[in-house]
Amino acid sequence: MALGNENCRMEEVLVKSPVGEIQISGCELGIHDLKLLAFDVPDGAEDASTSFKVCEGPQEMIAPLKQCTDWLRAYFCEPSLTEKYTIPAFHHPLFQKDSFQKSVLLALLKNVTMGKTITYKELAELSGNAKAARAVGGAMRNNPVPLIIPCHRVICSDGKIGNYSGGKGNNVKLWLLAHEKHVSEM
């Protein structure tokens, strides 16, 4: 279970996506966590629209979970339409207080659109501390809502992709960047 306020009544949804299973946890106030459980990068032949579905969860989802699953479905199946979907509120404890990590994540969400990338150093500068590229890496590593806050769009200054999910998900990061690049070229 996700860290959260003791008063939160948590609900979870499990979805199958083109990059594997994703568990979404949240309460009425917002999403707490989005976890990529199993990495499974498609070979290119699989149609993303046929490989996204809700596998487990309540029959009637609370609003943040519904918004999150709708947004993810659009991201994988009709990415050019994601801007038309509401990004769910976040209720992970990280977003409940001011911190450098919160400012980095929100700067990334606000400024780096689909099909674009930013370096760790550029994101540090954008977040108000040009010398904090390593701290930006830590913020990406501890992002409770990857995909929605697109930490996969953050790359090294030398053009290398950097790590994703501690290095276990680097093929996923490559797939996500290629998926977004294809969309941005349409």
Side-chain angles (χ1 to χ4, degrees):
M1 177 139 346
L3 295 174
N5 297 338
E6 293 176 11
N7 299 329
C8 292
R9 195 180 118 252
M10 299 295 289
E11 290 189 14
E12 292 182 347
V13 171
L14 182 67
V15 298
K16 180 182 181 283
S17 79
V19 295
E21 292 182 338
I22 301 170
Q23 180 183 35
I24 308 161
S25 304
C27 68
E28 287 283 346
L29 297 174
I31 299 300
H32 286 246
D33 287 298
L34 191 150
K35 295 180 182 171
L36 284 83
L37 299 178
F39 301 110
D40 183 25
V41 182
D43 61 11
E46 186 174 15
D47 179 16
S49 64
T50 62
S51 62
F52 183 91
K53 67 178 181 176
V54 175
C55 300
E56 296 175 21
Q59 192 73 5
E60 295 232 0
M61 285 186 239
I62 55 176
L65 291 180
K66 176 78 172 114
Q67 290 170 335
C68 189
T69 57
D70 288 347
W71 189 92
L72 287 170
R73 179 176 283 111
Y75 176 81
F76 287 114
C77 303
E78 303 176 275
S80 61
L81 299 179
T82 56
E83 291 178 5
K84 295 182 181 184
Y85 286 86
T86 301
I87 291 177
F90 304 127
H91 199 242
H92 185 279
L94 169 74
F95 297 105
Q96 304 309 308
K97 60 185 189 299
D98 288 333
S99 67
F100 180 72
Q101 184 175 355
K102 176 183 174 182
S103 67
V104 167
L105 293 172
L106 295 179
L108 176 61
L109 177 64
K110 180 181 176 186
N111 295 293
V112 186
T113 58
M114 186 165 309
K116 307 291 185 211
T117 58
I118 190 169
T119 67
Y120 292 95
K121 182 180 178 184
E122 291 168 336
L123 187 53
E125 291 168 356
L126 193 61
S127 301
N129 188 344
K131 296 182 180 192
R134 282 185 174 267
V136 167
M140 298 304 100
R141 201 169 24 262
N142 296 310
N143 178 2
V145 286
L147 299 176
I148 296 175
I149 295 183
C151 52
H152 58 276
R153 296 180 188 155
V154 183
I155 62 171
C156 299
S157 295
D158 63 5
K160 293 180 182 169
I161 67 160
N163 283 329
Y164 192 68
S165 290
K168 298 178 295 191
N170 287 358
N171 288 339
V172 172
K173 185 171 184 173
L174 286 170
W175 188 91
L176 293 169
L177 292 171
H179 174 67
E180 292 186 6
K181 184 172 178 16
H182 172 73
V183 171
S184 69
E185 292 173 350
M186 295 176 90

